[in-house]
Amino acid sequence: MSTLVDQPGRNAIKRQLDRTLFVEAGAGTGKTRSLIDRVVALVLSEAVPLREVAAVTFTEKAAAELSDRLRAAFTSERTRAYAGGDAARAALADAALDDLDGAAIGTLHSFAQRLLSEHPIEAGIPPLLEVRDEVSSQVGFQARWTALRADLLEDPQVREPLLLGLAAGMTLEQLRAVAYAFHTEWDRLPTHVLAGDPPALPDIDVPPLATRARAVAAYADHCVDDADKLLPELHVLREWADRLAHAVDPGDRVSVLADTPRLRWTYGRKPNYPHCDLDQVRQEGKAVVADAKQLCGTVLDSAVRCLAHRIARATLDGARERQRAGTLEFHDLLVLARELLRSPRHGREVRAALQQRYRRLLLDEFQDTDPIQIELACRIAAGADAEAADWR
């Protein structure tokens, strides 16, 4: 039987148990098999109790498979040990099988839940946690969004940005999408959305724009051919300029800006405009339309940012309420576990306790997981000496 090219690496996984290893390999090459070999070696060769080993994988299915394969491996090792008269090895295998059901072998979320359950006071949560599944989380988000939408529609502080945003083409469904994105990564809101004050709404000064549009549309009076194809385009621009000039309310002004016509400036024949430069007409017309769209976009951007600020605050309030109630969602588990290990007040003590509790950490399918995974692992591995800085 031929030896595998990477056999030295596979041997290192099973034998170099006092080293931190990073294993990179393609799908189907035996990474999980090697992880199982390392766990078995830690327990049977180094006498590390399985309850002191944490094996974190990506999905519930993968976690169940890992647990089943470890059970099969320890059962096989126990059988061989008894048959060979190795009572010490057999006892270690028996202990591992006893510990297996309660061992920290599961998903990143289940591991985070375990950390929080072991230190609820330090994490600021009730001793008994309820973790919502995907369906319950979706239902909870929809209920919160329905309440928030009603608040937005009634809150005088956001009435103006809401009206301007809707006038500029924003929809409530798009705001819902913003709220959902914030909900899924609420821990980033303080630094990415709420770091400063919401932007001020721009001055919607449209009279100069209307004057310029009328000036371009007036070139229609110089056309000597009623069949010229640019002529209807200039008439459309004139009608739009009149609407813009008569719009007094900010919402009406933004509505007209959002309805800036799409004009075909390639139309028109130069001989039909003997008293003006048609290229200049086209250039001025394009500039008016572009400036109208830019102003509308500026208003929309400022309105959405103001509303995002309000939505972000509500999202954080919701997350902290779930923390106080002990009714958590999957992302809450990760964020609160990380906050627990970062805590200036309790972090050092908790990290030291977890480092003693879990003497070995093994991460399966690392490339597919949340970046929080590596921070949790490193802080636990470093123990009390881990810095409390933000590692993102």
Side-chain angles (χ1 to χ4, degrees):
M1 182 176 180
S2 59
T3 302
L4 295 173
V5 175
D6 60 355
Q7 191 61 49
R10 295 174 187 267
N11 293 338
I13 294 172
K14 290 191 293 184
R15 298 169 185 171
Q16 296 181 14
L17 304 177
D18 58 343
R19 293 184 56 195
T20 297
L21 300 179
F22 179 84
V23 179
E24 183 177 11
T29 55
K31 296 188 299 298
T32 301
R33 174 69 259 177
S34 294
L35 183 147
I36 292 171
D37 290 342
R38 188 172 178 86
V39 172
V40 172
L42 285 169
V43 173
L44 301 185
S45 300
E46 295 294 313
V48 177
L50 188 60
R51 60 181 177 276
E52 297 180 6
V53 175
V56 179
T57 189
F58 188 47
T59 65
E60 294 285 356
K61 181 180 178 181
E65 180 184 356
L66 180 58
S67 182
D68 289 342
R69 292 174 67 176
L70 281 171
R71 187 180 303 279
F74 282 120
T75 300
S76 176
E77 291 290 343
R78 178 184 61 181
T79 301
R80 283 199 295 268
Y82 275 120
D86 191 340
R89 189 177 181 87
L92 291 172
D94 281 333
L97 290 169
D98 290 339
D99 289 342
L100 187 56
D101 289 336
I105 298 171
T107 64
L108 178 59
H109 296 94
S110 66
F111 184 61
Q113 182 179 354
R114 180 184 290 261
L115 301 188
L116 296 173
S117 298
E118 292 173 354
H119 301 275
I121 296 177
E122 295 86 348
I125 57 176
L128 296 179
L129 290 181
E130 176 189 345
V131 180
R132 293 175 174 173
D133 59 18
E134 291 284 355
V135 174
S136 297
S137 296
Q138 289 289 343
V139 171
F141 167 76
Q142 185 57 46
R144 290 191 299 273
W145 165 245
T146 300
L148 177 58
R149 181 180 60 188
D151 289 343
L152 292 175
L153 294 173
E154 297 174 1
D155 188 346
Q157 293 185 347
V158 298
R159 181 175 299 152
E160 185 177 11
L162 181 60
L163 291 176
L164 294 182
L166 293 173
M170 178 194 74
T171 66
L172 289 177
E173 186 59 28
Q174 289 172 331
L175 279 186
R176 182 188 182 279
V178 171
Y180 187 74
F182 286 178
H183 165 69
T184 58
E185 294 192 71
W186 61 263
D187 54 304
R188 304 180 66 186
L189 297 179
T191 55
H192 288 71
V193 179
L194 298 173
D197 295 329
L201 294 172
D203 182 23
I204 311 173
D205 185 17
V206 296
L209 194 61
T211 299
R212 289 170 54 200
R214 282 172 165 171
V216 175
Y219 285 115
D221 299 336
H222 298 279
C223 183
V224 297
D225 184 356
D226 291 342
D228 185 83
K229 290 186 176 181
L230 181 60
L231 202 56
E233 305 294 301
L234 295 175
H235 291 330
V236 170
L237 182 62
R238 176 175 290 165
E239 293 175 1
W240 177 81
D242 290 342
R243 289 170 54 208
L244 189 62
H246 290 94
V248 178
D249 181 82
D252 292 338
R253 288 182 170 184
V254 175
S255 293
V256 177
L257 290 173
D259 194 33
T260 301
R262 292 185 176 184
L263 303 176
R264 292 174 283 270
W265 296 106
T266 56
Y267 284 0
R269 297 181 66 250
K270 291 184 178 181
N272 296 336
Y273 299 83
H275 303 297
C276 58
D277 184 344
L278 189 57
D279 288 335
Q280 182 178 350
V281 173
R282 290 167 174 161
Q283 187 176 21
E284 291 177 2
K286 290 179 181 178
V288 167
V289 171
D291 289 348
K293 291 182 177 179
Q294 181 178 7
L295 179 55
C296 185
T298 300
V299 173
L300 178 60
D301 180 75
S302 298
V304 170
R305 288 179 182 274
C306 289
L307 294 168
H309 208 271
R310 174 71 172 77
I311 293 171
R313 291 201 308 271
T315 301
L316 278 181
D317 289 343
R320 293 310 178 189
E321 177 57 33
R322 294 195 300 274
Q323 179 181 7
R324 288 189 292 270
T327 305
L328 305 181
E329 300 178 0
F330 287 152
H331 190 61
D332 300 338
L333 294 171
L334 303 183
V335 175
L336 296 181
R338 181 174 62 186
E339 288 184 354
L340 173 64
L341 298 186
R342 286 180 178 178
S343 170
R345 182 177 179 184
H346 302 293
R348 184 178 183 85
E349 177 185 351
V350 171
R351 292 193 303 269
L354 291 173
Q355 185 188 44
Q356 293 182 351
R357 174 73 184 274
Y358 301 107
R359 294 167 54 191
R360 297 291 189 274
L361 297 175
L362 298 97
L363 310 180
D364 193 19
E365 300 294 343
F366 164 70
Q367 74 277 10
D368 293 332
T369 61
D370 192 294
I372 292 179
Q373 181 202 60
I374 192 61
E375 182 172 348
L376 295 179
C378 289
R379 289 191 187 277
I380 294 173
D385 295 330
E387 291 294 332
D390 188 341
W391 288 9
R392 282 176 294 183

